[in-house]
Amino acid sequence: MKRHLEWLLTRNYSVESIRLKEGYLRQFIQWCDERGVGRPQEVTRAVLERYQRHLYLYRKKDGQPLSGYAQHQRLTPIRVWFRWLVRQHRILSNPAADLEMPRIEQRLPRHILSVPEAEQILAVPDVTSAMGLRDRAILETLYSTGIRRLELVSLEVHDIDHERGTLMVREGKGKRDRMVPVGDRALAWIRKYLDEVRPQLMLGDDNPALFLSIQGEAIGATPLGHLVREYIRRSGLQKSGACHLFRHTMATLMLENGADVRFVQAMLGHADLKTTQVYTHVAIRALKEIHTATHPARLERAGETTEQKVTRLRQHEYIESSRRLFGMAESRKPSVTDAPDDTAVDGDAPCLNSSVPVGPKEK
């Protein structure tokens, strides 16, 4: 297994990704050892199917089963490992070649903060203390940019461009760099932290990390998660989560306020637009307004009439909202030209969605 992990490292996999794969492989190897399977050559398709059933029946500390995504995440490193063993001629056949993987659910984020709720959490740190001011800068950065936890702990001082109002994420998920805009308020808190707190936390001049711990080192990912979760708990909100809660909130609020889904995709660093489109189903405000205005089972509203509201919602705002909600680009209308039919190339099939009838070709 160690040689396989070294091979992944030479293929430029991130250290965090290799660490997770190693943990899942060790769980599988320990499970096999407990059942008398001590060598990779002894693993068969039936053994893998038993382990897959073990993951399906496994229960976490809170009594909940592993999701389809979690099961898939634990089985994928095993498939990669056995494929590598075959290529290295360490085993004759790959028992995981035809292993059917569990389906991954299309689940929505469990909790999303409203603007007042987000402000309530941001107000919890005691900004009169050094650590409280640092924590407020951290929360403001998470809320403004929506970056991941590991991306925040990897930030360095020179990654913040105060003049342009941007933040550089270096080697984010998938080892992709991206430039992210930062709001003026978050920049102001970062500047205040840099001027008043960070010099007190530094133990030397050679640490480039932006957010430092009380020991003078870069704050770790696990302590950061505990820190944010504690502030959410102390806010009194009946919602759970940590750093990713601000990521969900930022994406949802931007979509509800009219941001195009592709701009949100660029901010979040998603390689696939489908991943970002999950948030379009959470951004429900525009659909709620349309439902309230058009569904017959409603209470009468004073002021604007129903007809006026329907007319307003069916204009440009309605089109943009529908595009964000369902992830569908507005269909392009076919262009009708005055060119004669005999300009078509021989063998070309007529366009099925064209509104121009295609007749027989003139000789």
Side-chain angles (χ1 to χ4, degrees):
M1 184 186 70
K2 291 183 178 180
R3 292 186 179 180
H4 170 63
L5 297 176
E6 292 174 356
W7 177 83
L8 293 176
L9 192 61
T10 61
R11 294 303 183 273
N12 204 27
Y13 280 79
S14 67
V15 176
E16 181 65 21
S17 178
I18 294 176
R19 185 186 65 82
L20 289 174
K21 294 178 187 298
E22 180 181 4
Y24 295 144
L25 286 175
R26 289 189 180 279
Q27 291 176 7
F28 171 68
I29 293 173
Q30 180 182 357
W31 181 88
C32 289
D33 287 339
E34 293 172 354
R35 286 153 182 81
V37 181
R39 301 169 63 242
Q41 293 81 357
E42 300 174 4
V43 177
T44 62
R45 172 73 178 272
V47 172
L48 292 176
E49 289 179 346
R50 285 182 61 193
Y51 183 69
Q52 188 172 7
R53 179 171 176 79
H54 162 74
L55 294 177
Y56 174 76
L57 298 175
Y58 180 80
R59 292 297 180 267
K60 296 180 289 187
K61 293 181 180 180
D62 58 359
Q64 296 297 318
L66 294 175
S67 64
Y69 175 77
Q71 297 174 46
H72 194 283
Q73 202 174 23
R74 284 159 173 76
L75 290 171
T76 300
I78 300 174
R79 296 181 64 184
V80 175
W81 183 38
F82 277 103
R83 186 164 61 241
W84 177 84
L85 289 172
V86 171
R87 291 175 179 175
Q88 298 296 319
H89 305 290
R90 297 175 181 273
I91 58 177
L92 296 177
S93 62
N94 184 0
D98 299 325
L99 185 65
E100 187 174 352
M101 302 291 280
R103 297 182 61 183
I104 300 178
E105 311 92 340
Q106 297 295 328
R107 307 182 71 176
L108 299 178
R110 180 174 299 180
H111 295 302
I112 298 294
L113 299 174
S114 63
V115 175
E117 289 174 338
E119 296 294 338
Q120 185 175 338
I121 297 174
L122 294 175
V124 174
D126 180 13
V127 295
T128 61
S129 65
M131 302 310 295
L133 200 155
R134 182 208 63 176
D135 296 345
R136 177 63 183 266
I138 289 175
L139 294 177
E140 290 281 356
T141 304
L142 290 172
Y143 182 41
S144 179
T145 63
I147 60 176
R148 301 178 179 93
R149 178 181 59 171
L150 290 176
E151 294 171 345
L152 187 134
V153 300
S154 301
L155 286 178
E156 298 183 354
V157 175
H158 62 268
D159 290 331
I160 307 294
D161 190 335
H162 294 271
E163 294 184 1
R164 300 179 62 188
T166 58
L167 176 151
M168 173 62 75
V169 175
R170 303 187 185 276
E171 293 193 2
K173 193 172 184 179
K175 288 202 168 185
R176 293 185 295 268
D177 294 353
R178 71 181 188 277
M179 187 81 74
V180 179
V182 188
D184 293 337
R185 191 176 74 175
L187 283 173
W189 281 103
I190 293 174
R191 170 56 64 188
K192 189 175 179 63
Y193 158 75
L194 289 174
D195 294 340
E196 302 178 13
V197 178
R198 191 174 183 275
Q200 304 176 28
L201 299 176
M202 291 185 62
L203 297 180
D205 298 332
D206 57 345
N207 194 337
L210 176 60
F211 295 111
L212 301 177
S213 66
I214 196 170
Q215 290 82 17
E217 302 174 349
I219 187 170
T222 302
L224 176 62
H226 293 327
L227 180 74
V228 176
R229 183 176 289 106
E230 178 63 18
Y231 279 126
I232 295 173
R233 186 193 65 81
R234 287 169 53 186
S235 68
L237 298 176
Q238 299 301 316
K239 293 184 178 180
S240 60
C243 300
H244 232 66
L245 179 60
F246 285 99
R247 183 174 171 86
H248 296 324
T249 299
M250 186 277 296
T252 304
L253 294 180
M254 284 187 63
L255 288 170
E256 286 189 343
N257 289 329
D260 188 270
V261 67
R262 293 194 178 272
F263 292 122
V264 179
Q265 177 192 10
M267 284 203 64
L268 296 177
H270 288 158
D272 192 348
L273 182 62
K274 293 181 180 179
T275 308
T276 315
Q277 287 175 343
V278 171
Y279 296 102
T280 63
H281 300 285
V282 185
I284 196 70
R285 186 174 63 184
L287 180 59
K288 174 63 177 175
E289 291 182 1
I290 297 171
H291 176 269
T292 303
T294 58
H295 196 280
R298 64 183 183 275
L299 294 174
E300 293 297 330
R301 302 291 200 272
E304 186 178 25
T305 64
T306 302
E307 290 74 19
Q308 291 173 336
K309 196 169 214 180
V310 172
T311 302
R312 174 174 60 82
L313 292 172
R314 285 177 179 172
Q315 291 174 350
H316 179 71
E317 180 183 358
Y318 175 80
I319 298 174
E320 294 297 325
S321 301
S322 300
R323 183 188 305 174
R324 294 194 303 272
L325 285 167
F326 305 108
M328 299 170 58
E330 186 180 3
S331 60
R332 181 179 299 175
K333 296 181 181 180
S335 58
V336 181
T337 61
D338 295 330
D341 290 340
D342 58 0
T343 59
V345 180
D346 290 342
D348 286 351
C351 180
L352 296 179
N353 62 353
S354 174
S355 60
V356 181
V358 179
K361 192 175 183 180
E362 294 182 3
K363 298 184 178 178

